[in-house]
Amino acid sequence: MTRLLRTAVGRESRRLSATVTSRRLLTPWDGPAPHVRAASALARRGETLLIVQDDTLAVATLGPDGALGHILLPPAPDGARTFDAQQGNKKHKPDLEAAFVDGDLLFALGSGSLRPRERVYAVAADGAVEERDAPELYAGLRLPAFAGGELNLEGATVAGDT
């Protein structure tokens, strides 16, 4: 994960736009994780769309054939994989809000809005997952010019050579 971040730059562009070309209901899959509850961040690895969720420790995968799958991330210390008010554990959600693919690795980043959300997950194409506490990374992002008074990461991309 040493190649994770070199600089953070952002700027608004009025030239950017998005067009929705199709919509699809993502239904539940069989297994220990629930259906896609959120799409906090999207990234593409080859032909597969990777759907990162802020309240679920699973990455949904949507293949080019429309097949929905998942990659389980390590559970919370209490074994939880989902987080919400009904379960009383919403404040413990991983809050994964940013993701990008670099080579064959998907990086899913917590928002950094709270200390427990300063985590980064590196997910390999074979489904292997490495989870890291990353307080140094988030401390580097808490620059007044970048984050103002509080950090709440909401997106990431790879730009230039990595």
Side-chain angles (χ1 to χ4, degrees):
M1 294 201 334
T2 56
R3 59 186 169 145
L4 180 59
L5 182 69
R6 292 195 183 134
T7 60
V9 178
R11 71 172 180 251
E12 183 178 348
S13 173
R14 298 192 190 282
R15 296 178 299 170
L16 297 177
S17 66
T19 303
V20 176
T21 59
S22 67
R23 297 185 315 168
R24 175 176 178 227
L25 178 64
L26 300 178
T27 56
W29 59 68
D30 293 328
H35 63 285
V36 180
R37 296 163 43 116
S40 301
L42 301 173
R44 186 171 295 282
R45 181 165 47 202
E47 295 289 317
T48 300
L49 184 65
L50 303 167
I51 305 165
V52 174
Q53 306 176 68
D54 69 343
D55 62 356
T56 304
L57 285 168
V59 175
T61 61
L62 185 61
D65 60 356
L68 184 64
H70 66 280
I71 300 167
L72 294 177
L73 301 178
D78 66 358
R81 287 197 189 279
T82 60
F83 305 85
D84 56 38
Q86 290 78 19
Q87 296 178 81
N89 64 356
K90 185 174 180 176
K91 68 180 179 180
H92 301 294
K93 73 177 187 167
D95 206 28
L96 300 175
E97 296 284 355
F100 62 90
V101 171
D102 188 11
D104 284 340
L105 290 175
L106 166 72
F107 290 95
L109 292 81
S111 68
S113 61
L114 297 171
R115 176 64 185 95
R117 296 174 179 169
E118 294 179 351
R119 302 197 66 69
V120 176
Y121 296 82
V123 183
D126 66 2
V129 178
E130 183 179 338
E131 174 187 12
R132 288 241 181 119
D133 237 357
E136 298 85 11
L137 168 69
Y138 288 89
L141 294 173
R142 284 193 175 84
L143 301 171
F146 178 69
E150 297 180 24
L151 181 64
N152 189 7
L153 216 58
E154 293 289 338
T157 189
V158 174
D161 294 330
T162 56

